[in-house]
Amino acid sequence: MTFPVNASFTWENNITVGRDKVQWLYTETYAGVDSLIYKEYIDVSMGNSDGFISAWEILKTDVNTRSALRNSIFEQMDVIVNGSSEYAVLTDVNSLMSPELLGPVMQIEVIQNIYTTNYRVVYPFLGTGNSSVGFIGEKNTSMVINMPRETSVNSIEGIDNASVSNDEEGVRIMGSFGPTGKATVYFHLRGDEHITSLTPEVTEVNLSGGTQIFEDKKYHDLPLAERIFPSLGICAHDST
């Protein structure tokens, strides 16, 4: 069985910034024939190759993917506060696996999995005055950054086609990660107003699993998406 390189992967980022916390939602979507490729990968690599994806195969895929995401962040913190990664601490990784995964492999579905990472900022950075928050993500993937309504954006780096909107809910920055995969927002907090932030409403499933240890010396050189979603690395090779 041959998987086309990166053919089945769409990744979106939705990031919410609060006074002492950050939440990052990753959404991966497979549609059309790409959903068959992804389900076949699960059936062959995580299951028993019987042409049917059962609940235990979905659970195994979920645990492995969350483990890869957790390890990727441990290897390289992806939230940068005021120029340093020392202030951000990963607290948990949650997931919501698409129910459309369950069933026959050769049935086309729209599959959408959501992974949520939560961070605690050990030194609150949303004080009055100028601050910055940066993110390291997958290049050329779409992103939305939700900021408290008391902030004014001074400048933006590393976000292609960036647009900024402001309403009663807060400040929203939309665009996509640039070719470096690094984005930074420089902003100013007005006055001493009470800090509020958006919290995306998403049903989260927190399934505990072991931590996957990466021993490949080339792990650090892999693109972020391939480190988090092992299927992408396998897609580059023939698999039977």
Side-chain angles (χ1 to χ4, degrees):
M1 181 174 58
T2 302
F3 297 96
V5 178
N6 293 352
S8 60
F9 188 69
T10 300
W11 190 356
E12 298 176 349
N13 308 272
N14 191 307
I15 303 169
T16 298
V17 177
R19 176 178 174 82
D20 57 359
K21 60 184 178 181
V22 174
Q23 184 180 80
W24 191 329
L25 271 67
Y26 302 87
T27 302
E28 57 169 350
T29 304
Y30 304 85
V33 68
D34 292 341
S35 70
L36 302 184
I37 296 172
Y38 178 57
K39 290 197 292 181
E40 190 170 14
Y41 158 73
I42 293 176
D43 188 38
V44 173
S45 300
M46 301 291 174
N48 54 8
S49 301
D50 64 350
F52 188 92
I53 297 179
S54 59
W56 70 268
E57 291 169 313
I58 297 174
L59 176 61
K60 185 177 179 180
T61 302
D62 173 47
V63 170
N64 276 270
T65 304
R66 286 185 297 105
S67 177
L69 175 55
R70 186 182 299 110
N71 273 287
S72 176
I73 297 171
F74 286 159
E75 291 287 338
Q76 181 182 58
M77 174 56 65
D78 54 357
V79 175
I80 310 298
V81 175
N82 286 332
S84 174
S85 61
E86 297 180 358
Y87 303 126
V89 177
L90 178 68
T91 57
D92 59 73
V93 178
N94 299 318
S95 64
L96 178 61
M97 301 296 289
S98 177
E100 284 75 21
L101 282 171
L102 188 65
V105 168
M106 299 309 296
Q107 180 173 317
I108 292 179
E109 303 279 3
V110 175
I111 298 169
Q112 188 174 85
N113 301 326
I114 300 174
Y115 299 90
T116 307
T117 56
N118 290 290
Y119 307 80
R120 180 170 57 89
V121 179
V122 296
Y123 181 79
F125 61 96
L126 283 186
T128 301
N130 294 320
S131 297
S132 69
V133 58
F135 309 98
I136 301 175
E138 180 64 18
K139 62 182 181 180
N140 303 322
T141 57
S142 65
M143 66 185 307
V144 175
I145 303 175
N146 305 293
M147 304 283 292
R149 63 173 177 265
E150 295 85 5
T151 59
S152 298
V153 175
N154 295 331
S155 63
I156 298 172
E157 293 180 357
I159 301 179
D160 289 345
N161 302 315
S163 64
V164 180
S165 61
N166 195 342
D167 55 33
E168 66 278 1
E169 293 185 336
V171 176
R172 182 172 291 105
I173 303 167
M174 302 182 67
S176 61
F177 278 105
T180 66
K182 297 179 180 180
T184 304
V185 178
Y186 299 90
F187 60 92
H188 180 88
L189 181 65
R190 301 186 303 273
D192 295 320
E193 295 95 334
H194 176 67
I195 302 299
T196 59
S197 64
L198 305 175
T199 301
E201 294 183 0
V202 58
T203 302
E204 297 176 348
V205 181
N206 193 351
L207 301 174
S208 61
T211 300
Q212 182 177 355
I213 304 299
F214 292 88
E215 298 179 352
D216 190 347
K217 294 181 180 179
K218 296 181 179 179
Y219 171 75
H220 297 278
D221 299 326
L222 290 176
L224 180 62
E226 289 190 18
R227 282 187 272 145
I228 295 177
F229 298 95
S231 60
L232 296 181
I234 294 173
C235 284
H237 307 281
D238 290 344
S239 197
T240 57

